[in-house]
């Protein structure tokens, strides 16, 4: 069994980095067609991949935005929107349940090609019988610790997570403290409420390539893989 390091990845909201006061992608180039249904469609968060048949050609960037390698957006805000440079080297790595959807972003009448990283949870990668959890608050700042809880499957994990919620109240979940993997992946969304994570190899490549607009934070979960 080998120890792994994983890192959370997201977009920057620092105006000095993004150039814009709010999100870099702020609207559509045809805002006169905006309606609640359209806005909801382009704010999708779900268990399946984003619908690839949507029109991805009408995103509009703030006129002052810096076109970084990772963009913040008012649409699909829980997903990464990445540059072609980022996407091209990511494809060299092992990715779990990841698809890239090409989009066009217009800024001051100039068009840029970007990609939405459509990701869904990989349940099969987690060896639940060799992983450990505690029943605690989902917010790290509010956690007090607790007894270790073992699970033997994703279904058992889901059941016990629901029981913790009913027992302790809103905001309480099964917090992963040690996660053992059945196989390795360099970019993945675990079924554990951890968001999108990247491996140390991807982190090092991002740093080497000096990608912009990206924020990386080390996960506080201990990860291991069965070799």
């Amino acid at each position: 069994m080998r120890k792994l390091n994983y890192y959370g990845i997201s977009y920057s909201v620092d105006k000095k980095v993004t150039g814009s006061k709010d999100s870099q992608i702020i609207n559509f180039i045809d805002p006169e067609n905006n309606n609640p249904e359209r806005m909801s469609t382009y704010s999708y968060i779900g268990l399946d991949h984003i619908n690839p048949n949507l029109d991805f050609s009408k995103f509009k960037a703030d006129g002052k935005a810096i076109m970084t390698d990772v963009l913040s957006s008012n649409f699909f805000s829980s997903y990464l929107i990445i540059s072609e440079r980022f996407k091209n080297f990511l494809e060299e790595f092992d990715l779990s349940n990841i698809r890239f959807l090409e989009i066009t972003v217009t800024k001051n009448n100039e068009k840029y090609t970007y990609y939405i990283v459509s990701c869904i949870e990989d349940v099969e990668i987690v060896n639940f019988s060799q992983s450990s959890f505690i029943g605690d608050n989902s917010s790290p700042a509010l956690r007090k610790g607790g007894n270790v809880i073992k699970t033997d499957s994703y279904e058992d994990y889901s059941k016990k997570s629901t029981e913790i919620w009913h027992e302790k109240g809103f905001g309480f979940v099964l917090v992963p403290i040690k996660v053992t993997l059945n196989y390795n992946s360099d970019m993945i969304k675990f079924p554990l409420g951890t968001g999108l994570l990247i491996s140390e190899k991807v982190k090092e490549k991002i740093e080497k390539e000096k990608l912009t607009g990206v924020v990386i934070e080390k996960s506080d979960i201990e990860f291991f893989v069965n070799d």
Side-chain angles (χ1 to χ4, degrees):
M1 190 176 292
R2 178 166 49 93
K3 194 175 189 302
L4 301 174
N5 290 321
Y6 275 95
Y7 300 81
I9 182 169
S10 60
Y11 51 78
S12 176
V13 295
D14 185 344
K15 184 179 178 181
K16 295 178 182 177
V17 174
T18 67
S20 55
K21 180 180 177 181
D22 298 306
S23 296
Q24 288 155 291
I25 298 176
I26 55 170
N27 210 327
F28 297 108
I29 59 174
D30 58 343
E32 66 275 9
N33 293 323
N34 288 352
N35 56 59
E37 182 180 3
R38 185 188 198 190
M39 303 303 279
S40 176
T41 299
Y42 286 87
S43 300
Y44 173 78
I45 302 174
L47 298 177
D48 297 315
H49 282 291
I50 296 170
N51 182 356
N53 297 315
L54 293 175
D55 184 353
F56 296 117
S57 65
K58 294 184 170 64
F59 296 108
K60 180 182 179 181
D62 185 305
K64 295 182 179 179
I66 299 168
M67 302 306 286
T68 50
D69 289 295
V70 178
L71 295 178
S72 57
S73 175
N74 287 345
F75 311 106
F76 301 118
S77 59
S78 64
Y79 299 84
L80 282 187
I81 296 178
I82 65 174
S83 66
E84 192 158 26
R85 178 168 69 132
F86 193 175
K87 178 246 186 190
N88 287 345
F89 83 63
L90 270 181
E91 291 180 321
E92 302 171 5
F93 291 91
D94 294 321
L95 312 177
S96 291
N97 291 343
I98 301 290
R99 296 178 185 174
F100 299 107
L101 302 174
E102 182 176 333
I103 69 172
T104 300
V105 182
T106 301
K107 175 194 168 187
N108 299 332
N109 297 319
E110 186 172 356
K111 298 184 183 299
Y112 299 82
T113 298
Y114 276 81
Y115 296 84
I116 299 173
V117 180
S118 180
C119 55
I120 59 174
E121 295 176 346
D122 184 352
V123 174
E124 300 299 323
I125 194 172
V126 178
N127 187 318
F128 283 91
S129 64
Q130 294 182 19
S131 301
S132 301
F133 307 85
I134 58 172
D136 209 335
N137 203 291
S138 58
S139 171
L142 299 177
R143 288 178 190 166
K144 298 178 180 178
N147 296 327
V148 172
I149 298 172
K150 302 293 290 185
T151 64
D152 56 28
S153 65
Y154 175 67
E155 290 72 22
D156 189 35
Y157 162 83
S158 299
K159 176 176 176 290
K160 288 177 178 175
S161 190
T162 300
E163 290 172 352
I164 289 293
W165 184 83
H166 285 297
E167 177 187 340
K168 296 192 174 183
F170 179 78
F172 281 83
V173 296
L174 274 192
V175 177
I177 54 174
K178 173 194 170 185
V179 175
T180 300
L181 308 181
N182 292 316
Y183 47 87
N184 192 20
S185 178
D186 292 307
M187 176 177 273
I188 185 168
K189 186 177 183 182
F190 292 107
L192 307 170
T194 55
L196 187 64
L197 298 182
I198 57 173
S199 69
E200 189 136 32
K201 288 192 296 182
V202 174
K203 171 184 173 289
E204 290 172 351
K205 182 70 171 180
I206 289 171
E207 293 170 345
K208 180 180 178 182
E209 297 292 329
K210 295 182 170 56
L211 295 192
T212 57
V214 60
V215 175
I216 297 174
E217 296 181 325
K218 190 175 186 304
S219 173
D220 59 359
I221 303 168
E222 283 194 308
F223 287 96
F224 298 87
V225 63
N226 286 316
D227 289 324

